[in-house]
Structure formats: C-alpha cells, structure tokens
Amino acid sequence: MPTPVLETEVLIVGAGPVGLMLAGELRLGGAETVVLERLAAPTTESRASTLHARTMELLDSRGLLDALGTPPDEPRGHFGGVPLDLRLPSPWPGQWKVPQTRTEALLREWALGLGADLRRGHELRAARFADDHVEAVAAGPGGRALRVRARFAVGCDGEHSTLRRLVGAPFPGREASRELLRADVAGIDVPNRRFQRLDRGLAIAARRADGVTRIMVHEFQAGARRRTAEPEFAELAEVWKRVTGETVDHGTPVWVNSFGDANRQLANYRHGRVLFAGDAAHQQMPIGGQALNLGLQDAVNLGWKLAAEVSGRASAGLLDTYHAERHPVGRRVLADIRAQAHLLLGGPEVEPLRTLLAELIDERPEARAHLAGMISGLDIRYGADTAPGDPLLGARLPYTELQGVHGGMTTRELLRTSGRGLLLDLAGDAALRTAVRPWADRVVTVTARPAPDGPLGAARAVLVRPDGHIAWAGATDGPENALGDWFGKLAPARRPL
C-alpha cells in the first residue's frame, strides 16, 4: 500500500527555537507549515541562556514577552571574556537570561497556536528536489514512513543538518581546533567564576537558584577531540581538577557536552526551493549566546518573505534578499566569534591583546558601542552599502515616543502589527496615506508626530517591514516603489499545491 502524502506549502526540518520561530512567522503570513522533528519530546538541556536586545525586540513585536515575566537582565557581557557593557538605546538593553528550554517552549506554544503542524518523532531520511516542489521522506514512530510534499523546505536542523547533506550544499570553513567542556552539575560547591584565566586553562562557574552549577573548562594547548558522542562527566571532572585544583567528581551531572571552535558558513542560504537558517546555515562556537540569537533573527528575516512567496504576492527577487541580507550578517558574526575564541581560549600569548582591548573598551566609548552593537544585533543595517547617506534606511525602527496616537504611543507598541508592515506618517501627509491604500491588507498606516530631536530625525515618514527594518525613509520620491519591492503584487493569488 503506497505511503500517503502530506501536502503543505512549507516544510521545516527541526523544531528547535529557530524552526519554531520560523513556523510562527510563516503562519503569521498565512503559509501552511509542517515541522518535522526527530526527537519525540522536547530536550531538557538548556544549552543557550542568553537573549540579546535585538532578539528581545523581535519577540516583543510578536507579543511574546509577557509570557516570560521579568527575566534577569545582565548589562555586563563580554568580548572574548573581556568585560563589556552591552547597554545601548533599546527598550531591552543588555542581555536577558532565559533558559533555552523556556524560549523553545514559548515559541512552540506560539507556533502551534497559530496553526503550525508539528510532527515529533519524525526523522528526515530522504528527499527529492523538483523544479516546483520538494518531497521528503521521514521515519516516524514505530518506523512508519511519512512523505511530505511542499512548495519549499527549510533546514533548521542544526550544524549537522540532514537536509543540508541531502541537498549537497557546500559548507566551507574551519574544523574545530579547541574546545570547551560544559556540564550542569548538582551537589557541588565551587566558587562562581566569570571567565577566570588560570595558569593551565580557563574556568567558568555559575550557580543557579536551584542549586545546580554550570561549569565550563578549557585546558590551554589542548586540541579538540574528534568526538562521536558527548564526553563523559569523568573526563570533564579530570580537566576541571587539572585547571582549578578542585574536585567535582562527587557531583551529579544533569547533562554534559562539549563544543569546539569550528567556524563554517553555507556558501548560499538558498538552494532552489530549499533554504537554511540557524546552525544549519552557519556553525560557530556559542560564545555569549550569539549563535541562538543569530538563528532566531535569520528566522524573522526569512519568515515573512517566504510566506509572501508561497501566497503569490511577493515581488520578483524578494526571497533572494534573505541570502543577500543574512549571509553578510552571519559572516560578520562568525568573524567576531573567531576573534573571541582566540582571546578566550588562547594561552598566555593573548594576554597583551586582552589588555589592549580592555583599555579600548574602558577609555573609548565608541569602541565599546561598536562591540556592543555587533553582539546585540542592534547595529544591523541591511543594504547600508546602497544607501550610505541615509542612516535610517535598512536599520531597525528606533525606539521613540510618539504624539497623536491614541493619546501617545511608542514605536515599540506600533511594531505589534501581527506580521504586517507599518507606514508611519510623521507629517500628516494625506497623499502619502492615499499612496499606501492599495497595500492596506499588508501594511498598517499610522499618523503621529515624533518627539522633538528624537532618533527619527527630520524624516516625514518611514515604511517598516514586518521584521522591523526600515524599507523607505521619506525620501523626495513616494513610497510606491518600496511598497512594490517589499510588499509585492497588488492581487494576491494563491497558487495550487
């Protein structure tokens, strides 16, 4: 009996935070979405624990932060272990400590509430790529096969992506040469350490409110092992003792893993009808939580564009802007992380560099702001090379107070547009509102006055994409070209599967 075929518009492989973020974004745009996940239940390992300011802004724009309550905010981050104040103008300055398990649960509830179809316990085994669709085969519970036919597929299945292997996508870069061992351990009592460099290595320890301590350790001059499985706790305990002189082998490990300084990036984030996001598109050492944040921001950039494509309303080339915009961002983050890994894991030979960097951060505010903007994602400006004279174009909509909107409102509140765009009329221009009217199904129009001397400067209007970045900034010409480029055709016509 032939295996039945499940048909959808977009197939996502991987239900980690990036895959779930993308699923929610696609559903906001009206795209039918199926998510395949090989794990039968969510992982209990909370590997990443940091959300940076730009990611918090994006989650806020989707109305997701209330469910998090008030997570701890740590203004002090680091660059390669050198202390760095991460606070920049944002409603969410600094870094926010949220366990990855909590982030994943939040995004899962959101995506499922919007109608995403999540199939757990289904491992991708094979795929066929045609000009007009992708067909995947997954092994489900009990070995039952599931075939999924989709218009597009997106790999969000991590640095060892099965979909990337099936596509044969080149993944150039560097193999790991150094590694950190990491574990959450109950029943130990060691001093808290923040990137403590000792004679023999690097030690990090942080005890949580529940009594579990996260420890990480790197032994200088020790190379990365080629592992086929996670390390045993006994190995970590031995390295910890050699580096710190302390014994932790009496503790109970909650989980143990290792991560190296491998540094790779796909040559292209799009391969026909297959795209990649998160660690499937770029592999890097997860220093300072940048890997998770980079992936979540990939998903928000891609989601509304892919939803527009499958609905038939995207302009020609819109989907290709995903690679054009996110590949340079990923390349920059990977270079940043290579530099941090050198400073963090290098031996005594890197101490002069660390001293110089600390001096620059402390004595040059512009150096601190540059590094903080890069780590937080707040300085991302798409297409900056094509509009060097307009600092607003391509940047995220800055936070500012507005007047004349229901008695007063902020740009933060206006961005909660359920995945639609925003035309912010700052000059009461009736002709402008008339121009945008044909796109009213996908662009919300708001008239307001900015606060004097605010970050919007003298702009008379801004057109904001669903991901919060400015597509047009009130130039002498009208917004029609930008509306057509970013919000597409005026007669949506959903094509059959």
Side-chain angles (χ1 to χ4, degrees), residues 83-99:
L84 175 66
D85 186 339
L86 290 172
R87 288 174 294 186
L88 291 172
S90 167
W92 304 97
Q95 56 180 346
W96 300 80
K97 308 311 288 184
V98 181

Side-chain angles (χ1 to χ4, degrees), residues 33 53 56 65 88 96 102 118 137 166 207 283 315 317 366 372 385 403 437 458 461 467 482-483:
T33 306
M56 293 290 282
L65 289 188
L88 291 172
W96 300 80
R102 183 69 189 97
L118 173 59
V137 179
L166 293 172
R207 187 166 185 169
Q283 180 183 7
S315 60
E366 65 275 17
D385 54 339
Q403 301 168 356
R437 194 170 296 149
D467 59 2
L483 284 162

